[in-house]
Amino acid sequence: MSQQATALPPAAEAQHEPGYLAVSNVTKRFGAATVLDSLSLSVGRAEFVSLLGPSGCGKTTLLRLIAGLLAPDQGAIEVGGRDLTRVAAHRRNIGVVFQNYALFPHLTVAENIAYGLRAKGVPKGEQAKKVADALGLVRMEAFADRAVTALSGGQQQRIAVARAVVVEPSLLLLDEPFSALDRKLRETMQIELRHILRNLGITSIFVTHDQDEALVMSDRIAVMNEGRIEHLGTPSEVYARPKSLYTMEFVGQSSRIGGVVTGGRDGIVEIDTPFGLVRAPGHFLTGSKVVVGVRPEAIAAGEGPAGEYNTVRGTVAEVIYFGSRTLLHFRTAREGDRLHVELNRLPDTVAPGVEMTVRWRLDDSRVFPAPGGADR
Amino acid sequence: MALFGSLFCRLVLGLVIAFLFLPILIVLTVSFSSSAVFAFPPPGFSLRWYASLGKADSMLQAVWLSTQIAALSTAISLVLGTLCAIAITRGMIPGAKAVATFMASPLMLPGLVLGIAFLQAARDFGLRDTYSTLLIAHVVITMPFIMRTVLASLSLFDFAMVDAARMLGRSYPAALWTVLVPNILPGFVSGGLFAFIASFDNYPVSIFLVDVRTKTLPIQLLNQVEMSPDPTVAAISALLILGTIAALIVCDRLVGLKRMASI
Ligand SMILES: Nc1ncnc2c1ncn2[C@@H]1O[C@H](COP(=O)(O)OP(=O)(O)O)[C@@H](O)[C@H]1O
Ligand SMILES: [Mg+2]
């Protein structure tokens, strides 16, 4: 996992002029189904924002609304201060990299890239130069005269990116561009694409259902759930300080233990759980049903000082070895609960059935209202 | 046994080919006949029936009319049929499946019924012009051939390409023209060819719609055979065969017969 590597220096965040893309209260229905529900999103200039969510949550729909390929039922979309809500797709100057690339099979690689330049009436000589530059950008110079059908998936992907950016769009939208690539290639392309787009300084909205991809590539991530944005934040915020149980569970691994609030003070609540008393920062009324969430790597073996740590004891159910780390699944008494512990080094004695004490910092715990629990 | 089987197959194949091609051969031979009657084998050879074509005004008019009607109705069907096929494929209209089945089936009504219906409808709408009536009827005749091939081509076409073209600055119609049209060209050519032929040799519908001065070729040919059965008809037929071969060669050059046949 590469979460640590993705945390951006604060300076990089500050330089994005905010509100370059402004999606305001956009609602989209298909028949009776409301796919996007009064959704708002603000993206800074040159920022790279991922829309992350499970299949069917409305990511593509949002992208198509921004592109102008769909019209919203309500709400407005602005880019660079210009209201685009009623502007036709072909006049928006927004680039799109489609899921299956949508290259034109009747044209060569160079002709594909030149397509947008021709449409915009760029003079022939200038076209050739721009096409050559774009091919250089994606390191595909040698393929200019090939048929696009003769290219591999990764190569097609590069051409799709070159074709979209060569016209210097004001915004680039990418819809799961890596979903057709195998894992290894995907990882190289992620790094390379991020590098290219950062260098171009192009504002990008990137759709993915792959949390690792979102964490690796993004300046900020918008975690989506059923047509709403659950959490918009930097990768480290979304990962380490998720605003909702949904975000916590969707992004990365997590342990979750349900319980009832029995009291608390000074911003720390005490929760009665099947693992005993657990304390965590938060404000909940006594008697509320809550869920405590912790990242598995924030949990360590052994006891900790009572003031700063929660310490619980449990029985190991499964040991999953990953090489550089080991994941322990503990037995849980209640449906839906999960105690997963990630250890870098495994004590020799640990095996399924063994009892073990683990600890985590109060600061590393998050408390959320239990899903479906009206008695908050 | 296997040898016998293979011989038998070859024999059947030979017979089928002969069955298909002998009439054409006979027509070609007779067109060069020196005799004034439609006799086979001809007593001698000449080009007199080709020469007589130059004077056969009503025949040439019929060729010209049929060519126009076939070309225009095919062109109209190509445009309307393609737009309709797009709407069906993209689910823009309710009951798209039913509409597709209806539009792509070869006409389920006998041509005669359709002809009478057109005649009646033209009268009711006060449409007096034979040419327009013929054209409208032939659009209906050609449409299924276009719909069939275009729907088949569109089912393999990725419409994200049209979206891509739009995002690169082309309006929707321009995107269709520059991306969709070149990619389904084989479907257009093969559908267009069948449609053209269907219109060109239609008899049962047209017979109700023609008048004394406006006759399509099949009708004029039959008249001619009834009135003066000389080999002029054979000469015309020979030229039509030549025209068809030329059309096939052009289509092959344009998109390749293999690609066309696979649609
Ligand atoms: N053209 C459409 N007509 C009807 N429903 C649609 C259409 N496009 C998308 N949907 C529905 O909207 C929801 C969101 O779809 P989509 O935006 O494609 O999700 P995602 O890209 O996040 O997987 C899905 O339930 C999908 O079935
Ligand atoms: Mg999608």
Side-chain angles (χ1 to χ4, degrees):
Chain A
M1 296 243 145
S2 35
Q3 298 84 24
Q4 273 70 22
T6 64
L8 271 186
E13 241 169 277
Q15 84 198 5
H16 303 305
E17 164 195 329
Y20 177 69
L21 163 69
V23 176
S24 322
N25 301 311
V26 161
T27 296
K28 179 68 191 175
R29 298 184 197 92
F30 291 113
T34 303
V35 172
L36 295 181
D37 189 6
S38 191
L39 181 145
S40 297
L41 173 67
S42 172
V43 174
R45 189 190 286 276
E47 204 180 3
F48 189 111
V49 171
S50 291
L51 305 178
L52 173 65
S55 176
C57 72
K59 307 180 296 292
T60 298
T61 303
L62 177 55
L63 219 60
R64 293 179 69 82
L65 285 168
I66 297 172
L69 296 169
L70 282 176
D73 294 311
Q74 270 149 45
I77 291 157
E78 277 180 30
V79 175
R82 182 170 162 236
D83 184 1
L84 294 181
T85 317
R86 307 257 167 271
V87 176
H90 66 280
R91 299 226 173 81
R92 290 197 182 190
N93 194 30
I94 292 177
V96 181
V97 176
F98 289 86
Q99 198 159 4
N100 300 317
Y101 318 134
L103 296 177
F104 307 132
H106 63 295
L107 301 178
T108 64
V109 165
E111 287 166 345
N112 261 275
I113 297 175
Y115 184 92
L117 298 170
R118 278 187 65 185
K120 295 194 173 164
V122 175
K124 268 264 150 61
E126 212 173 313
Q127 275 184 32
K129 192 187 167 306
K130 288 194 174 198
V131 169
D133 288 350
L135 280 169
L137 188 71
V138 295
R139 297 191 286 115
M140 290 285 288
E141 297 93 329
F143 294 83
D145 297 320
R146 298 279 181 93
V148 289
T149 44
L151 301 182
S152 71
Q155 291 169 336
Q156 290 189 13
Q157 154 103 76
R158 287 161 195 268
I159 300 308
V161 170
R163 184 180 69 174
V165 299
V166 74
V167 293
E168 294 165 25
S170 56
L171 186 65
L172 184 66
L173 311 176
L174 305 103
D175 193 355
E176 311 211 14
F178 303 121
S179 60
L181 305 182
D182 62 58
R183 193 188 164 82
K184 196 102 191 241
L185 184 58
R186 195 184 310 182
E187 281 167 9
T188 1
M189 290 299 294
Q190 283 167 6
I191 306 291
E192 188 176 333
L193 183 65
R194 185 179 68 159
H195 182 75
I196 290 173
L197 297 182
R198 287 248 164 88
N199 280 353
L200 289 174
I202 190 166
T203 314
S204 310
I205 311 290
F206 177 89
V207 162
T208 180
H209 64 259
D210 180 335
Q211 37 133 337
D212 289 332
E213 198 162 279
L215 290 169
V216 167
M217 296 191 67
S218 321
D219 293 330
R220 284 193 301 160
I221 299 174
V223 180
M224 286 183 66
N225 180 23
E226 292 180 354
R228 286 170 298 108
I229 292 180
E230 287 264 341
H231 191 166
L232 176 63
T234 63
S236 53
E237 280 168 3
V238 167
Y239 185 80
R241 291 192 299 283
K243 280 186 189 161
S244 65
L245 183 60
Y246 176 86
T247 304
M248 172 123 202
E249 305 227 279
F250 193 78
V251 184
Q253 304 274 323
S254 59
S255 293
R256 53 172 283 182
I257 303 164
V260 177
V261 175
T262 55
R265 69 190 137 84
D266 302 334
I268 302 284
V269 285
E270 294 184 340
I271 303 145
D272 182 29
T273 77
F275 285 96
L277 198 70
V278 167
R279 296 186 306 146
H283 298 273
F284 284 88
L285 292 180
T286 303
S288 307
K289 287 190 179 165
V290 294
V291 174
V292 181
V294 195
R295 296 295 182 191
E297 70 275 11
I299 307 178
E303 264 176 57
E308 285 170 58
Y309 283 87
N310 285 307
T311 303
V312 302
R313 197 160 171 78
T315 310
V316 175
E318 262 182 89
V319 179
I320 303 155
Y321 182 64
F322 286 102
S324 64
R325 63 205 169 86
T326 304
L327 199 62
L328 303 180
H329 289 187
F330 280 68
R331 271 187 208 151
T332 49
R334 194 167 33 190
E335 186 81 25
D337 276 1
R338 208 164 49 219
L339 181 56
H340 292 180
V341 177
E342 186 182 315
L343 299 176
N344 290 334
R345 208 165 286 128
L346 193 65
D348 289 337
T349 53
V350 171
V354 167
E355 278 215 8
M356 198 177 158
T357 303
V358 294
R359 67 169 190 276
W360 68 88
R361 298 176 57 87
L362 299 195
D363 289 349
D364 287 331
S365 343
R366 323 230 50 93
V367 193
F368 307 104
D375 49 343
R376 216 200 111 157
Chain B
M1 203 60 217
L3 181 71
F4 175 75
S6 124
L7 272 180
F8 182 73
C9 282
R10 277 166 204 228
L11 186 72
V12 170
L13 185 67
L15 282 175
V16 167
I17 290 176
F19 185 75
L20 287 175
F21 279 92
L22 271 181
I24 295 176
L25 267 180
I26 290 174
V27 166
L28 282 177
T29 318
V30 170
S31 74
F32 292 106
S33 170
S34 60
S35 157
V37 290
F38 212 107
F40 188 86
F45 292 96
S46 79
L47 286 174
R48 58 188 282 211
W49 304 113
Y50 287 92
S52 80
L53 275 183
K55 284 172 279 153
D57 278 349
S58 52
M59 193 64 92
L60 291 180
Q61 265 171 25
V63 170
W64 180 224
L65 176 69
S66 275
T67 310
Q68 281 180 49
I69 295 283
L72 279 176
S73 64
T74 301
I76 293 172
S77 286
L78 272 174
V79 175
L80 296 185
T82 303
L83 294 178
C84 185
I86 291 172
I88 290 171
T89 313
R90 303 301 286 157
M92 295 174 187
I93 43 180
K97 275 245 170 70
V99 177
T101 312
F102 176 71
M103 303 274 297
S105 314
L107 295 170
M108 283 185 243
L109 297 173
L112 291 171
V113 176
L114 202 68
I116 294 172
F118 269 117
L119 184 61
Q120 190 66 44
R123 287 230 178 106
D124 288 354
F125 284 109
L127 187 61
R128 294 273 163 97
D129 184 37
T130 306
Y131 191 91
S132 320
T133 316
L134 267 177
L135 187 58
I136 293 170
H138 278 236
V139 169
V140 174
I141 292 165
T142 49
M143 188 63 85
F145 295 93
I146 303 292
M147 289 300 282
R148 241 166 204 239
T149 48
V150 173
L151 278 173
S153 309
L154 287 185
S155 70
L156 302 174
F157 179 79
D158 178 9
F159 274 87
M161 285 193 256
V162 174
D163 291 339
R166 290 169 72 192
M167 296 320 295
L168 289 166
R170 296 265 193 212
S171 65
Y172 190 64
L176 291 185
W177 182 250
T178 54
V179 172
L180 183 131
V181 170
N183 276 294
I184 64 169
L185 194 61
F188 282 154
V189 174
S190 68
L193 197 65
F194 284 123
F196 187 94
I197 291 169
S199 161
F200 199 77
D201 78 352
N202 180 278
Y203 186 88
V205 177
S206 304
I207 187 71
F208 289 94
L209 306 175
V210 294
D211 61 32
V212 187
R213 272 161 295 130
T214 322
K215 284 204 179 88
T216 59
L217 183 62
I219 291 163
Q220 180 63 34
L221 275 178
L222 209 71
N223 273 1
Q224 185 87 17
V225 170
E226 280 170 354
M227 283 171 4
S228 54
D230 63 33
T232 316
V233 177
I236 276 274
S237 305
L239 289 181
L240 290 182
I241 292 167
L242 205 70
T244 311
I245 293 171
L248 281 175
I249 291 173
V250 170
C251 291
D252 184 40
R253 281 290 140 81
L254 216 57
V255 293
L257 285 180
K258 272 219 184 102
R259 263 178 91 194
M260 269 171 66
S262 69
I263 293 286

